[in-house]
C-alpha cells in the first residue's frame, strides 16, 4: 500500500544521467504518479543533500513518503521491481511469464555489462560527437545488443513497436542507449533504427529530452569530448 504522501523519484541532470532516466521514463510513460526531486551533479545541492536523499550516495532513488525520512529503494533494477510490486497492473513488465523473464534478463545483462559502450559513449542529449568513442570493442557490443533486440522483437514483439509489443521497463532501459547512438552517430541496421525511432518518440522521452536541452551545466566527467565553455 502506498503511503499517503506518495512517491518521489530523486534524479540528477537529465542531459547526463542515463540511470536516472530509466525509472523516470517507466513512471512517466506508464502514468504512475510521482514527484521529481533533481539533485544536479557537482552542485551545492548535491553536496548538501545527497547523503540524506540517497542511502547509496547515488541516483536514482525512489522514496515512498517524505524523501530522507520515508522508505527508499535505490538502484534502477530494484526501483523497477518495486514499481512492479506497487503497480502490478501498470505494465512495468510484460504479462507473459516467458516474456517477463526475457525482459528482466535483457535489463540485468545491460546493467551488469556493456562497459565499453557505456564508458566510451556517455549519455549527452544536447551534444553531437559523430564517431567519438568508436572502437572494435564498442562495435561488438552494439552488434550484440542489436542482435538481442532483433531476436526478442521477433519472438515477443508481435505488431507493436517495442520489444514486447507494448512499452515496458526493458524499453525504458534501452532508451538512454539509443540516445547515445544519436549523439555519436552510430551506424545501425534498419530494424534497430526503427526501434530507436519508437523509443525516442515516446511521450516520456520527448518530455525528458525537452528538459535536458534546457540544461546548461557542464560536468567534466560526463564530457570527455568537449572543453569547458568560456
Amino acid at each position: 500500500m502506498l503511503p499517503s504522501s506518495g512517491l518521489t523519484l530523486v534524479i540528477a541532470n537529465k542531459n547526463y544521467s542515463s540511470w536516472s532516466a530509466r525509472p523516470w521514463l517507466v513512471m512517466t510513460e506508464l502514468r504512475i504518479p510521482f514527484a521529481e526531486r533533481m539533485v544536479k551533479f557537482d552542485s551545492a545541492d548535491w553536496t548538501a543533500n545527497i547523503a540524506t536523499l540517497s542511502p547509496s550516495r547515488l541516483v536514482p532513488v525512489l522514496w515512498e513518503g517524505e524523501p530522507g525520512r520515508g522508505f527508499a529503494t535505490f538502484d534502477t533494477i530494484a526501483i523497477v521491481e518495486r514499481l512492479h510490486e506497487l503497480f502490478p497492473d501498470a505494465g512495468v513488465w510484460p504479462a507473459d511469464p516467458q516474456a517477463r523473464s526475457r525482459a528482466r534478463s535483457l535489463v540485468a545483462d545491460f546493467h551488469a555489462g556493456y562497459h565499453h559502450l557505456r564508458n566510451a559513449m556517455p549519455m549527452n542529449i544536447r551534444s553531437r560527437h559523430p564517431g567519438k568513442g568508436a572502437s572494435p570493442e564498442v562495435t561488438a557490443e552494439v552488434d550484440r545488443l542489436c542482435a538481442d533486440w532483433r531476436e526478442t522483437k521477433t519472438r515477443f514483439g508481435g505488431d507493436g513497436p517495442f520489444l514486447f509489443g507494448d512499452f515496458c521497463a526493458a524499453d525504458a532501459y534501452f532508451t538512454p542507449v539509443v540516445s547515445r547512438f544519436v549523439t555519436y552517430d552510430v551506424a545501425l541496421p534498419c530494424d534497430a533504427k526503427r526501434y530507436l525511432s519508437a523509443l525516442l518518440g515516446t511521450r516520456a522521452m520527448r518530455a525528458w529530452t525537452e528538459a535536458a536541452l534546457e540544461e546548461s551545466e557542464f560536468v567534466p566527467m560526463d564530457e570527455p569530448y568537449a572543453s569547458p565553455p568560456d
Side-chain angles (χ1 to χ4, degrees), residues 8-229:
T8 299
L9 186 68
V10 179
I11 65 171
N13 310 54
K14 289 181 177 176
N15 184 56
Y16 297 126
S17 185
S18 60
W19 297 112
S20 295
R22 292 176 167 106
W24 193 99
L25 293 169
V26 170
M27 299 173 81
T28 301
E29 189 68 17
L30 299 181
R31 302 184 186 277
I32 296 172
F34 70 103
E36 174 188 311
R37 171 67 163 94
M38 180 179 285
V39 191
K40 291 188 175 181
F41 296 132
D42 291 355
S43 68
D45 187 20
W46 182 282
T47 300
N49 294 303
I50 193 62
T52 299
L53 292 173
S54 174
S56 65
R57 282 33 172 200
L58 301 171
V59 291
V61 183
L62 181 70
W63 286 93
E64 299 168 44
E66 182 181 349
R69 301 185 64 179
F71 178 76
T73 301
F74 42 97
D75 186 88
T76 53
I77 290 181
I79 291 171
V80 167
E81 292 295 351
R82 183 60 177 152
L83 291 172
H84 178 64
E85 293 173 344
L86 293 171
F87 302 93
D89 299 322
V92 174
W93 293 118
D96 174 77
Q98 287 191 350
R100 188 165 61 250
S101 179
R102 173 61 60 83
R104 284 171 163 151
S105 295
L106 292 174
V107 165
D109 185 41
F110 190 84
H111 188 278
Y114 290 88
H115 299 295
H116 296 292
L117 170 59
R118 292 197 280 117
N119 292 335
M121 297 181 175
M123 189 171 84
N124 192 329
I125 291 173
R126 69 170 180 245
S127 296
R128 294 293 180 269
H129 299 295
K132 296 294 187 181
S135 70
E137 293 81 9
V138 170
T139 297
E141 291 184 349
V142 172
D143 289 346
R144 182 164 78 90
L145 194 59
C146 290
D148 283 346
W149 290 348
R150 181 179 303 113
E151 196 277 334
T152 299
K153 179 70 171 64
T154 300
R155 183 167 183 174
F156 298 106
D159 296 329
F162 303 110
L163 293 180
F164 300 90
D166 295 328
F167 184 91
C168 73
D171 302 299
Y173 225 83
F174 292 123
T175 302
V177 180
V178 301
S179 81
R180 289 169 158 93
F181 295 162
V182 174
T183 300
Y184 302 98
D185 194 23
V186 176
L188 299 172
C190 290
D191 55 347
K193 289 180 181 178
R194 288 192 295 271
Y195 184 46
L196 177 152
S197 295
L199 293 179
L200 297 183
T202 61
R203 177 180 59 87
M205 187 55 181
R206 291 198 307 270
W208 180 276
T209 299
E210 182 178 355
L213 293 175
E214 293 295 320
E215 295 180 354
S216 59
E217 293 80 12
F218 185 93
V219 179
M221 184 178 69
D222 293 303
E223 293 277 5
Y225 308 115
S227 300

